[in-house]
């Protein structure tokens, strides 16, 4: 990937853009530029038929070879256009507001990724909705495929604040009961709770006929534990604190985080759930690629 494309996908660059819609477009621009030099080029160009251009379509989708032959505007109709309904499911827990280096918080990272995915889905004429949760589901924006839905979803995302205690498992069970039709459910969470109830709840969602992508988002510092000397650790939800010797604690901590992630990865794989471990220093293209792979397989 070229350095020019790379910059669009780096969280430390994206954080300097204030508006969420521009952040999302910035990410998408870098992603599709990068795809032209990658094995995923086909996702953006494969199509099975054409349809007439209508106002609101992306002009970049116009097939100029067809125009040259017919003097009419046609756009490429992508293979993946099968009206897959998607839900962006956001964790509002207080722990999502954490950032060690004051770059993007876990929540900021999740919001940017969700906004970019929203653009992708609407671009493919897929209905997409938004669900937020803390100890239970807080808000639900019904899925739509109209281009106005981008503004609707981004408006809600831009005004969200992570502050709640969380019950991930109960919220997912509640969501499973709400969804009446087979959907692609994309969950954004740091999952800093006991894994077993969450995994059981996701199995229930999966058994309900839904496809699930679990974006497990941690801060870079939560993965590598770069602290030195005596440090005070605080639980953002309970406010409980503990003082540890970081140097003595680091190896055990990193082992535990790796075990924690591996447990989710194993259980998700066995249940047919796509597990995507991310941290706030990672470029956004990995998550978007996971979505497109899933999207193509479902299409």
């Amino acid at each position: 990937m070229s350095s020019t494309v790379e910059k669009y996908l780096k969280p430390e660059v994206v954080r300097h853009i204030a508006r969420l819609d521009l952040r999302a477009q910035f990410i998408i621009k870098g992603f599709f530029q990068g795809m032209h030099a990658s094995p995923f080029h086909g996702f953006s160009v494969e199509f099975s038929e054409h349809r007439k251009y209508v106002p609101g379509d992306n002009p970049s989708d116009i097939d100029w070879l067809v125009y040259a032959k017919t003097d009419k505007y046609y756009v490429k109709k992508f293979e993946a256009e099968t009206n897959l309904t998607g839900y962006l499911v956001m964790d509002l827990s207080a722990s999502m507001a954490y950032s060690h280096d004051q770059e993007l918080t876990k929540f900021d990272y999740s919001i940017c990724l969700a906004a970019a995915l929203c653009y992708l889905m609407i671009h493919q004429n897929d209905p997409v909705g938004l669900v937020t949760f803390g100890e239970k589901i807080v808000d639900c924006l019904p899925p739509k495929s109209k281009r106005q839905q981008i503004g609707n979803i981004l408006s809600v995302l831009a005004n969200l604040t992570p502050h709640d205690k969380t019950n991930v498992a109960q919220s997912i069970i509640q969501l499973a009961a709400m969804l009446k039709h087979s959907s692609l459910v994309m969950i954004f969470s740091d999952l800093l709770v006991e894994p077993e109830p969450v995994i059981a709840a996701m199995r229930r969602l999966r058994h309900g006929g839904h496809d699930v992508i679990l974006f497990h988002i941690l801060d870079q510092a939560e993965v590598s534990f770069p602290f030195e000397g005596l440090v005070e650790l605080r639980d953002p939800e309970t406010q409980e604190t503990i003082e540890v010797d970081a140097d003595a604690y680091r190896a055990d901590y990193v082992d535990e985080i790796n075990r924690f992630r591996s447990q989710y990865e194993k259980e998700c794989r066995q249940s047919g759930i796509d597990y995507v471990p991310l941290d706030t220093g990672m470029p956004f293209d990995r998550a978007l690629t996971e979505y497109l792979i899933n999207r193509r397989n479902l299409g």
Side-chain angles (χ1 to χ4, degrees):
M1 188 181 297
S2 72
S3 59
T4 302
V5 171
E6 219 168 47
K7 76 174 184 179
Y8 290 107
L9 297 164
K10 286 185 175 180
E12 64 266 31
V13 175
V14 171
R15 78 181 181 91
H16 293 294
I17 304 171
R19 281 172 43 187
L20 181 58
D21 60 333
L22 297 181
R23 282 183 173 185
Q25 291 175 49
F26 194 77
I27 292 166
I28 290 296
K29 180 178 180 179
F31 180 63
F32 278 112
Q33 284 184 2
M35 281 172 62
H36 291 292
S38 81
F40 302 104
H41 175 60
F43 285 123
S44 65
V45 298
E46 283 187 14
F47 58 94
S48 56
E49 58 183 291
H50 292 74
R51 59 175 169 78
K52 288 184 178 180
Y53 177 88
V54 296
D57 283 334
N58 189 336
S60 66
D61 291 338
I62 293 173
D63 191 321
W64 296 106
L65 291 176
V66 172
Y67 172 75
K69 294 176 181 179
T70 66
D71 204 35
K72 295 179 181 178
Y73 295 112
Y74 283 86
V75 297
K76 305 164 202 172
K77 184 175 174 64
F78 293 98
E79 291 277 9
E81 290 184 13
T82 53
N83 292 322
L84 176 77
T85 298
Y87 285 88
L88 305 165
V89 183
M90 306 297 304
D91 182 355
L92 298 180
S93 61
S95 62
M96 292 288 285
Y98 176 73
S99 172
H100 167 59
D101 55 14
Q102 305 307 308
E103 296 279 341
L104 291 181
T105 67
K106 291 180 282 186
F107 195 71
D108 292 333
Y109 189 97
S110 299
I111 292 296
C112 288
L113 178 54
L117 286 167
C118 176
Y119 269 96
L120 273 181
M121 293 200 73
I122 296 297
H123 178 69
Q124 294 177 310
N125 295 320
D126 287 330
V128 58
L130 175 67
V131 174
T132 66
F133 71 89
E135 291 186 289
K136 61 181 181 179
I137 288 179
V138 177
D139 200 9
C140 181
L141 196 63
K144 295 180 181 177
S145 58
K146 302 291 186 183
R147 290 189 178 267
Q148 304 94 284
Q149 183 75 340
I150 295 175
N152 296 338
I153 288 180
L154 265 59
S155 177
V156 175
L157 287 174
N159 288 288
L160 290 175
T161 304
H163 62 277
D164 289 347
K165 291 184 178 180
T166 191
N167 189 328
V168 180
Q170 186 56 46
S171 298
I172 292 174
I173 290 171
Q174 187 182 355
L175 178 63
M178 285 172 49
L179 300 183
K180 304 303 181 187
H181 305 288
S182 179
S183 303
L184 173 61
V185 180
M186 294 162 280
I187 301 171
F188 305 79
S189 176
D190 56 12
L191 300 172
L192 295 183
V193 292
E194 285 299 319
E196 288 79 8
V198 177
I199 290 164
M202 287 195 299
R203 283 197 188 119
R204 184 166 172 175
L205 187 62
R206 185 77 180 94
H207 291 162
H210 307 290
D211 288 279
V212 183
I213 305 178
L214 178 60
F215 294 111
H216 188 185
I217 300 167
L218 297 175
D219 188 80
Q220 270 188 299
E222 290 175 324
V223 176
S224 61
F225 204 75
F227 310 103
E228 298 178 346
L230 287 176
V231 294
E232 184 179 86
L233 306 178
R234 185 180 79 255
D235 185 316
E237 295 183 24
T238 66
Q239 301 305 314
E240 293 179 5
T241 62
I242 182 174
E243 190 174 82
V244 300
D245 179 346
D247 300 294
Y249 185 59
R250 182 175 300 107
D252 288 341
Y253 174 88
V254 171
D255 284 346
E256 183 62 22
I257 280 289
N258 290 337
R259 185 201 63 77
F260 178 60
R261 283 175 143 185
S262 294
Q263 180 181 0
Y264 269 109
E265 183 173 20
K266 177 185 175 184
E267 297 288 349
C268 286
R269 184 173 63 249
Q270 291 176 351
S271 300
I273 294 166
D274 288 303
Y275 174 74
V276 187
L278 300 168
D279 69 59
T280 53
M282 294 177 66
F284 292 99
D285 58 333
R286 177 177 180 184
L288 296 177
T289 299
E290 289 283 350
Y291 160 74
L292 280 176
I293 291 172
N294 190 294
R295 179 67 185 81
R296 189 178 193 222
N297 290 339
L298 295 176

